[in-house]
Amino acid sequence: MTGAAANGPMMRTLGGEAVWPPPVWLMRQAGRYLPEYRALRAQAGSFLALCLDPARAAEATVQPVRRFGMDAAILFSDILILPWALGWGLEFREGEGPVLPRFAGEADLARLEPGRVAAAVAPVLETIARVRAALAPDVALLGFAGAPFTVAAYMIEGGGARDFARARAMAQAEPGLFGRLMALLEEATGRYLSAQIAAGVDAVMVFDSWAGLLSPRLFARHAVTPMAGVAALLAQRHPGVPVIGFPRLAGSMLGGYARALPLAAIGLDTGADLEVALGLLGAGTAGQGNLDPAALLAGGRALAEETAAILAAARGRRFVFNLGHGVLPETPPAHVGELIARVRAG
Ligand code: 1CP
């Protein structure tokens, strides 16, 4: 282990306390809305180069915390680093997002090389050690990975997509092939998160950004079951290290997800009605969310009212204030400062 483990409001909340005012951090808190990030990104040359440069990736991780004082930092990386480390191609094109080869058949399974991952992610692990050493002990450092379904969906589509129809169809038309891809990703994800914990992250979050596109039957099979496998591996290797799940767009499937999984917290998207969702989570699991990123972009009265509504619904509960999805690149940095101040005022 490197550096001091965190002991502030974020880790206390994940550990079971109802802390008020709640800890606050924001998904995509590092990124293009910050001029200091844009400068770093220009120096690195590309997004992928930035992710694999420990000194610069550590700086990108710390930048928002230095400016705004969030209660957690999230490792600057991407969910698509894991398929990249497995030997799958990956490119981030300007204004286009990620582009990957399309996973289409049995021959592609053989192209994935789990044995490459440990060496390929060495720069990410070094980034973690640097960040943990640089952060104050009351700021939690979160590691993360994509959930197997969401990562498989990007691989099958060859990048982002509106509704991931190709991936959802493969899950049903070619269940054997899809199941083998999912099993490989589940194993690799568990090991990758375990390595992040060994390198110094205090907790991990698993982003299943597209899980809510699945029917309830397929959600159980491809979102809940793989997450149970990842959580079991982590519980065995790192007992007590909190795991946060984020089954985005899960709606009424949240209850089953929460009941089936031993998670410290569950991320809630903007459409989650907090009264209902926190009820579905139960007392054992903290909620994390769920301000509309567009309210943060809008600022002013919209931001004040939406923030107040979330604080009112979460008061007295175990809760982590966050957005329902990532910070939008056009967001004025001053709005982020205003949000943090409002949350801190409770
Ligand atoms: O500099 C740039 O232009 C690159 C933009 C960017 C950034 C800043 C991408 C490309 N990824 C990231 C960082 C990132 N991605 C982080 C770490 C920093 C932080 O949160 O502060 C994290 C946790 C992610 C996770 C991620 N990447 C998810 C899950 C969360 C979500 O947004 O749903 C997903 C789906 C991705 C894929 C991805 N990477 C980048 C883009 C533009 C996308 C989305 C592609 C799409 O579906 O359109």
Side-chain angles (χ1 to χ4, degrees):
M1 290 290 261
T2 34
N7 55 15
M10 179 69 183
M11 294 308 291
R12 282 168 39 221
T13 300
L14 293 178
E17 275 181 62
V19 177
W20 204 264
V24 54
W25 69 278
L26 306 178
M27 290 188 279
R28 290 275 174 97
Q29 65 190 19
R32 274 177 298 173
Y33 77 103
L34 286 178
E36 59 268 37
Y37 169 81
R38 293 197 297 270
L40 205 56
R41 165 89 166 63
Q43 284 168 19
S46 74
F47 173 68
L48 199 51
L50 178 52
C51 289
L52 298 171
D53 177 335
R56 290 199 174 102
E59 171 61 15
T61 305
V62 173
Q63 278 177 346
V65 179
R66 191 185 291 133
R67 197 197 257 248
F68 303 112
M70 287 90 169
D71 295 298
I74 184 160
L75 170 67
F76 186 82
S77 185
D78 196 81
I79 63 165
L80 299 175
I81 288 291
L82 182 61
W84 171 83
L86 284 160
W88 204 246
L90 173 65
E91 211 189 313
F92 286 90
R93 294 202 189 134
E94 215 56 62
E96 221 185 297
V99 180
L100 300 78
R102 269 197 175 149
F103 179 93
E106 292 289 344
D108 291 328
L109 270 179
R111 293 172 53 194
L112 293 165
E113 301 175 67
R116 290 179 82 256
V117 173
V121 303
V124 178
L125 306 182
E126 192 191 329
T127 302
I128 289 169
R130 287 177 183 239
V131 176
R132 189 57 276 177
L135 287 175
D138 59 346
V139 178
L141 174 57
L142 308 179
F144 74 92
F149 173 70
T150 288
V151 172
Y154 280 95
M155 291 174 68
I156 293 163
E157 300 285 346
R162 193 171 53 85
D163 57 7
F164 290 87
R166 183 182 290 261
R168 288 152 61 213
M170 184 186 283
Q172 299 174 78
E174 299 174 80
L177 174 65
F178 184 80
R180 286 189 285 284
L181 173 59
M182 289 288 289
L184 187 149
L185 290 173
E186 178 185 320
E187 172 86 23
T189 302
R191 287 171 184 265
Y192 180 39
L193 290 171
S194 172
Q196 292 185 29
I197 294 168
V201 302
D202 302 299
V204 294
M205 175 152 166
V206 181
F207 290 87
D208 214 345
S209 300
W210 302 105
L213 299 180
L214 294 165
S215 72
R217 281 178 64 240
L218 295 188
F219 180 88
R221 193 174 307 157
H222 299 310
V224 177
T225 302
M227 188 66 193
V230 169
L233 181 127
L234 296 178
Q236 188 212 337
R237 291 198 187 174
H238 311 279
V241 173
V243 180
I244 307 171
F246 183 34
R248 199 169 70 90
L249 309 174
S252 60
M253 299 185 288
L254 269 175
Y257 185 89
R259 277 193 302 280
L261 296 169
L263 300 173
I266 292 182
L268 303 171
D269 58 64
T270 296
D273 178 325
L274 276 191
E275 300 284 355
V276 177
L278 294 176
L280 290 174
L281 263 45
T285 310
Q288 172 176 277
N290 70 341
L291 181 73
D292 182 0
L296 184 60
L297 171 60
R301 196 158 60 93
L303 178 58
E305 289 178 1
E306 290 291 311
T307 303
I310 290 171
L311 289 171
R315 192 175 300 275
R317 312 272 201 146
R318 273 175 69 210
F319 189 72
V320 178
F321 199 103
N322 205 314
L323 301 178
H325 204 187
V327 175
L328 296 164
E330 315 78 40
T331 303
H335 292 185
V336 174
E338 188 192 325
L339 170 63
I340 305 287
R342 286 188 182 279
V343 175
R344 291 274 158 72

